[in-house]
């Protein structure tokens, strides 16, 4: 077996652009979490905001969370990928500006225009408001998503250009010569393999998403331009599912890059690693039909393919990453600090969160469970304890004052508060799902309320812990930029 050359390169703090992405992510994450808590308090009947505000908050929370975790994931991917390929800082910043522009449009649509058709904007709901919101509000929401999507398309095109220039093609970025041919030990590092995969699937997903958004925008003003609702649903779920799946594949780059620095052991991009990323590149694009299993109008073969591929895709990258992490951590003498703890627990969160999806992907279960809180239970687990934990781990990594600095008791308490809070919050969703509590209902029946109240308590604990993470990150921002400026200065003096 060939010896792989990947060893972690030194990291000199973060560029201002990466820090700007992370500051925006921290603020928006916190705000959206508070919106989520308000929804849970409403279920618990501790508040009385009413249906209109519940659905306005649900729309903002869904769109806001999906967008912001994508932004945070992009910051992680860009930060590490630029150690291997030449990326454009201008395009990276343009993506942030387009993102913020889209956010303003979405905020205006929901807060001023009362749009509340959920982030999934299923056709024909946005154009059939029955007087609850106006045309301009629907247009601003869909236009905002489109503007955000354009930013991500630009970012991924730039990444594709950079990988093709450095490695000679996207197949080479996925390590195909080493996967399908003799193993010369020169496979691209995991960060490049993951970025190539995300770029391929997101470009396809975003083009499909932009196409349906444009069709729906035209239909909004020219109703004679008809859009087939079933086709629209398929396109929206394809785009939405690929996009939200891709966020964890961007964020996991932090695990591949940072854990080897802690353990001084390389993360091997061997044949199994490369095969799992290539397999998921294709499978991620075919698993969305588990959201459509109740749509009898779809061809049966299409749903069966979705069912089988949904099962298969649960495992490859997750197992390869979980096993790889255990191998490089085992007896490595790793220093457990906030960063390494959060990154390690994120893999457990990802694995735990994937299991309810696996169960829900079974057609007979899906008929009963899919419209219950079981589904938010699944994705909140893997996003919060998996993806979001990776983001906070990365933030702690950037602001660590020195290699041997120890964590304060408050940070450690916040870590456990985050883990316990998230598990309690998501298990309440899952248990409610098991008890057939409907998803996306503003008002809950009296017998559902005990679960909602327990969930609210854990959500508050989780948010309090996140406040500590964010405070630490914002307070340490100077440190994160300082190392980068010093390294840049040293490099320019040396040349
Ligand atoms: C403190 C943290 C959070 C709380 C309290 C919270 C709460 C909620 C609640 C109450 C719902 C509505 C459930 C329903 O009745 O159907 C919801 C939906 C949702 N949440 Fe969260 N959430 C949190 C974190 C997150 C995170 C981190 C993400 C993504 C990264 C996320 C993404 C979503 C999405 C996509 C929906 C679906 C909205 C829809 O059905 O249209 N949430 N959340």
């Amino acid at each position: 077996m060939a010896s792989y050359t990947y060893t972690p390169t030194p990291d000199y703090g973060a560029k201002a652009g990466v820090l700007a992405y992370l500051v925006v992510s921290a603020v928006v994450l916190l705000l959206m979490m508070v919106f989520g808590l308000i929804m849970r308090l409403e279920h618990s009947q501790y508040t009385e905001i009413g249906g209109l505000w519940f659905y306005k908050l649900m729309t903002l929370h869904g769109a806001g969370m999906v967008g912001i975790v994508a932004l945070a994931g992009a910051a992680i991917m860009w930060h590490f990928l630029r150690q291997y390929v030449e990326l454009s800082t201008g395009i990276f910043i343009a993506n942030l500006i387009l993102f913020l522009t889209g956010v303003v449009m979405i905020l205006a649509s929901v807060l001023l225009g009362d749009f509340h058709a959920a982030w999934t904007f299923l056709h024909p709901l946005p154009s059939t408001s029955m007087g609850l919101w106006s045309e301009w509000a629907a247009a601003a929401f869909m236009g905002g998503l489109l503007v955000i999507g354009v930013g991500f398309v630009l970012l991924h095109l730039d990444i594709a250009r950079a990988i093709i220039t450095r490695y000679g093609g996207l197949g080479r970025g996925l390590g195909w010569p080493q996967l399908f041919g003799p193993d010369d030990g020169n496979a691209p590092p995991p960060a490049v393999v993951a970025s190539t995969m995300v770029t391929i699937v997101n470009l396809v997903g975003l083009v499909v998403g932009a196409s349906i958004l444009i069709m729906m925008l035209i239909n909004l003003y020219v109703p004679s331009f008809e859009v087939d609702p079933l086709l629209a649903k398929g396109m929206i779920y394809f785009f939405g599912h690929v996009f939200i799946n891709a966020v964890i594949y961007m964020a996991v780059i932090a695990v591949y890059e940072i854990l080897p620095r802690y353990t001084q052991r390389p993360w091997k991009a061997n044949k199994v690693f490369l095969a799992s990323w290539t397999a998921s590149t294709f499978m991620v694009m075919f698993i969305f039909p588990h959201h459509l299993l109740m749509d009898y109008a779809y061809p049966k073969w299409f749903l069966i393919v979705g069912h089988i591929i949904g099962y298969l895709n649960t495992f490859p990258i997750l197992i390869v990453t979980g096993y790889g992490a255990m191998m490089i951590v085992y007896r490595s003498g790793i220093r457990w600090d906030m960063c390494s703890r959060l990154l390690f627990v994120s893999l457990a969160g990802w694995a735990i969160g994937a299991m309810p999806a696996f169960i829900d992907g079974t057609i007979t279960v899906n008929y009963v469970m899919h419209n219950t809180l079981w589904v938010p239970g699944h994705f909140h687990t893997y996003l919060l304890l998996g993806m979001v934990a990776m983001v906070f781990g990365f933030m702690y990594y950037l602001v660590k004052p020195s290699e041997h600095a120890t964590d304060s008791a408050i940070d450690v308490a916040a870590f456990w508060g985050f883990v316990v809070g998230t598990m309690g919050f998501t298990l309440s969703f899952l248990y409610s799902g098991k008890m057939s509590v409907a998803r996306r209902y503003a008002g809950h029946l009296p017998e559902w309320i005990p679960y909602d109240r327990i969930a609210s308590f854990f959500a508050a604990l989780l948010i309090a812990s996140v406040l500590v993470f964010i405070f630490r990150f914002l307070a340490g921002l100077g440190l994160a930029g300082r190392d980068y400026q010093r390294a840049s200065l040293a490099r320019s003096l040396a040349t």
Side-chain angles (χ1 to χ4, degrees), residues 293-294 307 311 359-370:
L293 293 176
M294 294 179 180
H307 179 146
Y311 267 9
I359 297 169
D360 182 60
T362 310
I363 293 182
T364 42
V365 177
N366 190 281
Y367 281 151
V368 185
M369 302 294 267
H370 198 70

Side-chain angles (χ1 to χ4, degrees), residues 1-2 4 6 190 265-271 273-274 320 328:
M1 192 174 159
Y4 286 87
Y6 166 68
R265 291 175 177 174
W267 195 298
K268 293 181 180 166
N270 56 23
K271 272 189 190 267
F273 180 92
L274 298 173
V320 163
I328 68 163

Side-chain angles (χ1 to χ4, degrees), residues 33 36-37 40 43 61 65 69 119 379-380 425 439-440:
M33 283 184 176
L37 176 61
R40 270 333 233 153
H43 286 155
H61 177 85
M65 280 299 194
V69 287
W119 81 281
F379 65 74
H380 281 89
F425 167 64
R439 177 184 176 189
R440 284 182 168 172

